[in-house]
Amino acid sequence: GAVVSQHPSWVICKSGTSVKIECRSLDFQATTMFWYRQFPKQSLMLMATSNEGSKATYEQGVEKDKFLINHASLTLSTLTVTSAHPEDSSFYICSATTDRGFSQPQHFGDGTRLSIL
Amino acid sequence: AQTVTQSQPEMSVQEAETVTLSCTYDTSENNYYLFWYKQPPSRQMILVIRQEAYKQQNATENRFSVNFQKAAKSFSLKISDSQLGDTAMYFCAFMKHPNQFYFGTGTSLTVIP
């Protein structure tokens, strides 16, 4: 149980285009979803936290207009990288949890490797 | 602010041997959770084990166990009978209410056949 699906797993696109990444909880309702960015051989950096039906809470230094997050349902959150540039190339990982409050671990998707040419 | 420190960037262990990965954290919270996640080359983060701060008993999951020292703010992971499939990056994580996660910088573990 607690499967999180992330799509696409790999995307290559030209500079200036927008890219949407989907994160779905397949067998549970995800009240809270998280988006992380991971550079090679580094840890996960939390970008934002989103609760279903609410605006996402962004971490300091993360551009809200650059990384648009939507959590429209209990099973789907999307991250849109707008007007992507080569410096946005990275590995993006989503995770989901069933508990708004506490106690539940995060369940991670497989990640999306984004390459901007 | 919460910080999670993993002081061993890389470790190796012979197959079937035991290895311990260290993790320390800094917090003023009294109620929190600690986790170890594994990230194999496939890049998916997999939960290995979790520990509630209010529990004194160390968590155990098959070959994986932790040594949780709350006063010392230490949370080490012991892998017994290491297997080739254990080769991965291991991240220690701290969670406080409400679902705020902090990850360590990771330890790359290689199991040698």
Side-chain angles (χ1 to χ4, degrees), chain A residues 34-54:
Chain A
F34 305 85
W35 288 95
Y36 294 87
R37 185 172 181 176
Q38 185 180 30
F39 292 102
K41 298 187 179 180
Q42 294 189 25
S43 188
L44 281 69
M45 182 189 76
L46 178 65
M47 298 175 66
T49 302
S50 71
N51 292 303
E52 183 267 336
S54 304

Side-chain angles (χ1 to χ4, degrees), chain A residues 11 25 35 43 48 70 74 87-88 93 99 102 110:
Chain A
V11 58
S25 56
W35 288 95
S43 188
N70 182 278
L74 284 172
E87 59 266 28
D88 299 323
I93 306 176
D99 192 345
F102 213 23
D110 290 346

Side-chain angles (χ1 to χ4, degrees), chain B:
Chain B
Q2 275 62 226
T3 59
V4 180
T5 303
Q6 292 180 248
S7 59
Q8 305 151 313
E10 297 182 354
M11 293 190 72
S12 61
V13 62
Q14 289 290 139
E15 192 175 7
E17 297 294 310
T18 295
V19 64
T20 298
L21 281 58
S22 64
C23 173
T24 57
Y25 58 95
D26 185 26
T27 184
S28 58
E29 301 285 333
N30 190 51
N31 191 19
Y32 52 87
Y33 285 76
L34 296 162
F35 303 86
W36 277 98
Y37 280 90
K38 165 185 176 182
Q39 188 180 39
S42 64
R43 304 299 291 273
Q44 184 181 23
M45 296 284 283
I46 301 167
L47 177 65
V48 175
I49 199 166
R50 59 181 285 181
Q51 174 80 44
E52 293 88 344
Y54 62 85
K55 288 187 177 179
Q56 291 187 345
Q57 186 174 7
N58 290 323
T60 299
E61 287 288 340
N62 300 315
R63 299 183 294 108
F64 301 89
S65 62
V66 299
N67 182 3
F68 174 48
Q69 301 290 327
K70 190 173 183 179
K73 296 179 182 175
S74 170
F75 183 60
S76 60
L77 173 69
K78 185 172 81 171
I79 305 174
S80 304
D81 186 26
S82 297
Q83 301 175 359
L84 296 179
D86 295 334
T87 292
M89 281 290 289
Y90 286 81
F91 292 98
C92 177
F94 169 97
M95 183 179 80
K96 68 169 188 174
H97 181 80
N99 283 314
Q100 289 180 302
F101 255 64
Y102 302 87
F103 285 91
T105 51
T107 296
S108 176
L109 176 68
T110 301
V111 179
I112 304 168

Side-chain angles (χ1 to χ4, degrees), chain A residues 6-7 17 19-20 29 40 62 87 103 108 116:
Chain A
Q6 194 171 335
H7 178 80
T17 59
V19 179
K20 180 184 283 189
Q29 292 187 328
V62 178
E87 59 266 28
S103 82
F108 288 83
I116 309 299

